Amino acid sequence: MDQEKLIELAWLARENAYAPYSHFKVGACVALKDGNYVQGCNIENAAYGSTMCAERNAVFGAYCKGYRKEDIVALAIVADCTPIASPCGACRQVLSELVALDMPIFLANKEKAEKHTIGELLPMVFIGESL
């Protein structure tokens, strides 16, 4: 998996964001074990609860194509802000179930990129095994 390519594809996905209310555009990209990538961007809605974040769009897109947790090898999330944006609580919960807890998640802005995992971003995770 090429970290630079993954982040670059997330920046390209960000260009498709629909953010007429917040003007906060986010891009994401999932790298898959077979060498493919799935991009996502945030899509806002006047009914704010109907808004979908970039990282969920990317991961859900991978699942819609038949990929599963074991197929996803990395995720990049980019936004043009300081400090670096990180996933919201809803996204952290979704990611904790749909990707491996130790999978690399790259958070980036125009100046730098940081490597994290969902296990770090969401300690004491609540997943299916918790039920």
Side-chain angles (χ1 to χ4, degrees), residues 14-75:
R14 181 182 173 271
E15 294 176 15
N16 294 323
Y18 177 74
Y21 309 108
S22 72
H23 307 288
F24 187 72
K25 295 182 174 188
V26 181
C29 188
V30 168
L32 300 161
K33 189 175 8 180
D34 66 6
N36 287 315
Y37 296 89
V38 178
Q39 295 168 289
C41 61
N42 60 315
I43 306 293
E44 293 182 349
N45 190 277
Y48 294 140
S50 300
T51 293
M52 185 58 65
C53 297
E55 52 271 44
R56 279 188 280 160
N57 271 331
V59 172
F60 289 167
Y63 270 72
C64 286
K65 293 175 185 253
Y67 294 101
R68 293 297 179 258
K69 179 187 290 192
E70 58 275 6
D71 301 309
I72 300 173
V73 297
L75 168 65

Side-chain angles (χ1 to χ4, degrees), residues 1-3 5-7 10 26-32 37-41 53-60 62 71-78 86-87 91-92 94-96 98-100 102-108 113-118 121:
M1 185 276 311
D2 181 346
Q3 174 186 337
K5 181 176 182 178
L6 181 64
I7 292 171
V26 181
C29 188
V30 168
L32 300 161
Y37 296 89
V38 178
Q39 295 168 289
C41 61
C53 297
E55 52 271 44
R56 279 188 280 160
N57 271 331
V59 172
F60 289 167
D71 301 309
I72 300 173
V73 297
L75 168 65
I77 305 166
V78 301
S86 65
C91 286
R92 291 175 193 219
V94 167
L95 292 173
S96 73
L98 299 183
V99 304
D102 61 350
M103 182 203 72
I105 298 175
F106 301 98
L107 307 177
E114 298 176 357
K115 180 180 175 184
H116 298 276
T117 67
I118 196 59
L121 295 172

